[in-house]
Amino acid sequence: MSHVNTVLGPIPTAELGFVAVHEHIGYGMPGSELDTKWWKTPEQRYEETVPKLRRFHENAAPYGGATFVDATGICNGRDVNYYQSLSEKTGVHIVASTGFVGGDTALPFFERASVDYLYRQFVHEITVGIGNTGGKAGIIKVGVSRGFKMKELDLRIYRAAARAALETGVPIFTHLAVDVEPAIDIFREEGLPLDRVLFGHADDGVSQGKVRDRWIAEQGGRIGFDTFGYDLELPDPPFWGRPRQERLDHFLGYLRDGLVDSVLASADANCSPLGWPGVKGHTVNYLFETLLPALREAGVDEATIHRIFVELPADFLSIKTLVKD
Amino acid sequence: MTATTCVNTVLGPVEADELGVVAVHEALLSVLPGAQYAFDITIDRVEVFETLAAKLTEFRAAGGGTVVDATGMFHGRDVRLYEALSRTTGVHIVASTGQGPEELLGGYFLTPQTNPPTPWPAEKWADLFGQEVTDGMVVPRVERRGAAGLVTTAVTRAGATATDTELLKGAARAALATGVAVSFRVGADPLAELETVLGEGLAADRVAVGGLDRVDMSGLAAKIAERGAYVVLDHIGTEGGELPTDAERVALVADLVGAGLGDRVLLSSSATGVAKGHPATDVAFSHVLTSFVPALRAAGVSEDDVHRLLVANPAALLALR
């Protein structure tokens, strides 16, 4: 039966409902845990997080369920016990990731590790569990280090992820879709179909002019419009922000050209950031409160919305046994 | 030494003259950053505690009084465990703040979420380390505990990177502001690295320079000591490769003492009580006492000088000033 690993165990794909495919309960760069300026009490963390998840659950009710894919990865504050308690108490399905946001978020132990070791780390977290939590990862995170250029360590992580994805059947999502040619080479060399990879942040402000998203789509990759809501119109936008209408037009271009099956959408919001201030007011619920109304206003029908937020992510997240070419 | 000089241990301030014999550059729980998340590494607190307690008890039985965990704030330091170990074994434990070299830092410090991602400068390091003395050492995202007793950092072996230099300066500023000493492990140019620290206005006798018992560092120990800083021979018990034999170390110590530099020498093993994610330096905390000191005596080093090396020098270094 088609299923997905959540932090509380495998669930049938049919239960996922509305999927926010690239989000964070709380993200912090490795080392940020040492800097008390970011510390929050457990009371504050739950207080900041639970109402957002509850609202997400309510918003998603018409779709039959709410699924939150956490893109935090190893070393960045991923906290599976905490996710389990949040999921259990709010009813939101939470999918945790193995892998790394990018080479520059992998701590020295992993920086020194071989492709084979990294592959075994990822497979263990997908098939046995993350630490002693019993929760299994449902997706693998990889990414490009700062500087828009793949580093050797990034490439090692991509290759290990490709092998782990083939072995376990979970998909991969990327932090950034820039400098993508070496990534696609690796996936092809390893025999991983590109529809098992979501090339993320293709829509962010700093990537524009550097990201060949239509070319990636032509190769069969999925395109992540997954920074929806990081709008330059915000009072204090992050450096990767983008004018709201420009991002929307970029996205609508895919729908207009019949490429809906190439895209997935999400907000990349932090419920309660761990090592940075976060962006005030930006939550996963942007998808319901701002994006869906904007799509409807642009003439996108309900079937297409259902396809983007329910059917396509279900297909993407389903654990698939793949046959190597 | 005045009776009012105190040392920060994990159980609170202790008079410097109560430390006894000090192992000044060791590691209790040593975890290569990231190894705590490795799928095939288990950190069993009970097992770690029992192993460390046995080693500390053996150290105490050999005449030891104090162990300095000199690996800083991001290499497995576990303050709550060290408190329990100190209570259980009666060995004073001094824990350290600090980080380095660059290759051991987390991305938060090297590629922060700013554009461009500028690595941390000295003033931020000074604040981070200094607060671990004034406000207490962190249990990440949970609480602060007792005060750090030392600031440690290290320089990249191939030579100081820009960030290593900022770390040295930040450590020096934290020491100046709080009264603890600085200990750093040398990279390629110990004298220049020491000058970086001293350039911040820190007195030379507030600085301990480690890693000087490497074969490629011959002659530098005396120069560092003449400059007024402490020379730490910190791999005693490990021989071969880039490291000299203990017999060669004995000769070096005897030379330094003979040259009147005995009040600037410290002895240690960089022993790792429990190591995770990297090879252990499996030397007993008592090795200096049980093996090295007899060899020093045989080489003609006096009891007064042995006392200086093991007791008085570390007390002077660790005493808050």
Side-chain angles (χ1 to χ4, degrees):
Chain A
M1 157 113 87
S2 173
H3 69 280
V4 172
N5 282 343
T6 77
V7 293
L8 294 179
I11 64 167
T13 304
E15 277 200 85
L16 294 176
F18 188 100
V19 177
V21 77
H22 187 129
E23 300 296 324
H24 297 276
I25 297 293
Y27 172 86
M29 293 285 285
S32 63
E33 68 271 29
L34 303 173
D35 191 342
T36 56
K37 76 185 276 192
W38 307 115
W39 287 12
K40 291 169 182 171
T41 61
E43 293 91 324
Q44 188 183 357
R45 289 180 66 190
Y46 279 104
E47 211 170 281
E48 289 180 359
T49 303
V50 171
K52 290 168 190 163
L53 292 179
R54 186 198 301 284
R55 191 166 182 85
F56 178 57
H57 192 249
E58 289 162 2
N59 280 327
Y63 300 86
T67 299
F68 184 106
V69 182
D70 183 88
T72 299
I74 304 165
C75 303
N76 286 302
R78 187 186 58 174
D79 189 343
V80 175
N81 303 108
Y82 176 52
Y83 303 168
Q84 287 168 327
S85 83
L86 291 169
S87 177
E88 198 168 62
K89 305 307 183 220
T90 64
V92 172
H93 304 300
I94 299 178
V95 176
S97 53
T98 184
F100 300 94
V101 169
D104 48 24
T105 75
L107 283 166
F109 178 84
F110 295 107
E111 187 179 357
R112 298 173 189 184
S114 64
V115 168
D116 184 61
Y117 186 90
L118 295 168
Y119 151 79
R120 286 186 287 127
Q121 174 83 24
F122 302 161
V123 169
H124 183 96
E125 294 199 342
I126 296 159
T127 60
V128 180
I130 298 169
N132 59 7
T133 65
K136 296 174 184 173
I139 189 166
I140 309 171
K141 183 77 179 283
V142 300
V144 185
S145 288
R146 294 296 296 273
F148 301 106
K149 194 81 193 150
M150 284 274 213
K151 297 194 171 123
E152 187 277 331
L153 174 57
D154 301 332
L155 296 170
R156 223 185 308 149
I157 293 167
Y158 272 68
R159 191 173 297 281
R163 291 179 188 174
L166 269 174
E167 164 117 1
T168 63
V170 306
I172 293 173
F173 54 174
T174 77
H175 167 80
L176 299 179
V178 297
D179 195 23
V180 78
E181 293 82 0
I184 287 183
D185 286 347
I186 285 171
F187 295 135
R188 286 199 171 129
E189 285 161 21
E190 298 298 328
L192 184 73
L194 290 179
D195 68 352
R196 300 309 290 151
V197 184
L198 174 59
F199 293 87
H201 303 348
D203 62 329
D204 76 21
V206 284
S207 289
Q208 300 315 304
K210 301 183 180 74
V211 62
R212 299 174 66 196
D213 51 295
R214 285 293 179 111
W215 180 79
I216 298 169
E218 283 163 20
Q219 308 308 304
R222 296 182 193 256
I223 309 302
F225 283 80
D226 48 14
T227 67
F228 267 112
Y230 285 117
D231 299 334
L232 288 183
E233 290 81 356
L234 290 165
D236 187 18
F239 67 82
W240 59 87
R242 190 177 181 194
R244 178 178 296 182
Q245 192 61 43
E246 186 185 302
R247 186 193 325 269
L248 187 65
D249 289 344
H250 188 183
F251 185 64
L252 291 171
Y254 276 78
L255 307 191
R256 202 167 38 240
D257 295 344
L259 295 172
V260 62
D261 285 3
S262 294
V263 297
L264 290 171
S266 206
D268 193 24
N270 277 236
C271 292
S272 177
L274 289 175
W276 64 298
V279 173
K280 203 171 163 49
H282 180 47
T283 80
V284 62
N285 292 301
Y286 179 96
L287 299 175
F288 293 99
E289 288 155 10
T290 306
L291 179 59
L292 293 192
L295 291 176
R296 289 178 180 126
E297 195 179 324
V300 178
D301 62 20
E302 294 307 312
T304 302
I305 287 172
H306 196 267
R307 182 135 192 90
I308 294 166
F309 291 101
V310 179
E311 295 160 33
L312 291 171
D315 176 54
F316 176 62
L317 290 173
S318 290
I319 293 180
K320 289 186 180 163
T321 311
L322 299 163
V323 180
K324 203 167 173 175
D325 295 344
Chain B
M1 191 184 307
T2 68
T4 55
T5 55
C6 274
V7 172
N8 288 335
T9 77
V10 293
L11 295 181
V14 166
E15 298 286 332
D17 56 10
E18 288 176 20
L19 297 181
V21 170
V22 181
V24 80
H25 193 286
E26 312 294 346
L28 292 172
L29 175 57
S30 177
V31 181
L32 180 63
Q36 65 271 37
Y37 306 118
F39 76 97
D40 56 353
I41 290 176
T42 303
I43 301 178
D44 177 328
R45 284 185 84 77
V46 175
E47 186 183 27
V48 170
F49 183 89
E50 284 174 350
T51 303
L52 291 175
K55 292 186 176 197
L56 290 169
T57 300
E58 192 262 353
F59 173 67
R60 189 156 194 238
T66 301
V67 168
V68 181
D69 178 75
T71 57
M73 69 194 298
F74 196 53
H75 208 277
R77 188 186 70 186
D78 190 322
V79 181
R80 290 180 293 196
L81 193 79
Y82 298 171
E83 291 168 16
L85 282 165
S86 183
R87 282 195 302 268
T88 303
T89 64
V91 174
H92 296 299
I93 295 174
V94 175
S96 55
T97 184
Q99 296 189 67
E102 178 177 334
E103 65 176 328
L104 291 182
L105 301 178
Y108 176 70
F109 305 105
L110 292 172
T111 52
Q113 283 167 278
T114 54
N115 200 23
T118 310
W120 269 35
E123 60 264 29
K124 294 186 81 170
W125 291 119
D127 284 348
L128 186 77
F129 301 158
Q131 283 168 23
E132 285 226 309
V133 182
T134 55
D135 301 343
M137 291 179 284
V138 301
V139 177
R141 294 198 181 108
V142 178
E143 61 179 337
R144 286 190 184 274
R145 306 288 292 188
L150 186 69
V151 190
T152 64
T153 186
V155 180
T156 303
R157 284 297 297 273
T161 66
T163 288
D164 292 343
T165 298
E166 297 302 306
L167 282 162
L168 287 169
K169 291 178 178 175
R173 290 182 202 176
L176 263 177
T178 62
V180 301
V182 169
S183 168
F184 77 91
R185 200 190 67 216
V186 299
D189 190 351
L191 288 166
E193 293 152 13
L194 176 59
E195 289 311 318
T196 299
V197 173
L198 301 181
E200 298 300 311
L202 193 65
D205 66 354
R206 302 308 294 146
V207 186
V209 184
L212 290 169
D213 56 352
R214 281 172 12 205
V215 288
D216 61 331
M217 291 289 166
S218 68
L220 277 167
K223 287 184 180 146
I224 297 283
E226 282 160 8
R227 185 70 181 83
Y230 289 91
V231 169
V232 197
L233 304 184
D234 55 357
H235 296 91
I236 293 171
T238 307
E239 305 183 337
E242 63 180 4
L243 295 174
T245 63
D246 272 6
E248 288 166 324
R249 291 186 180 97
V250 167
L252 174 59
V253 173
D255 283 352
L256 290 166
V257 169
L261 297 169
D263 59 352
R264 284 295 174 271
V265 179
L266 296 164
L267 307 177
S268 209
S269 293
S270 300
T272 51
V274 173
K276 298 287 182 183
H278 68 97
T281 300
D282 196 12
V283 176
F285 294 136
S286 61
H287 175 81
V288 168
L289 275 168
T290 57
S291 171
F292 195 73
V293 164
L296 283 179
R297 290 191 181 112
V301 176
S302 72
E303 282 312 307
D304 279 356
D305 283 321
V306 168
H307 185 267
R308 217 187 308 276
L309 298 170
L310 300 182
V311 178
N313 292 349
L317 177 77
L318 295 171
L320 295 168
R321 224 192 272 171

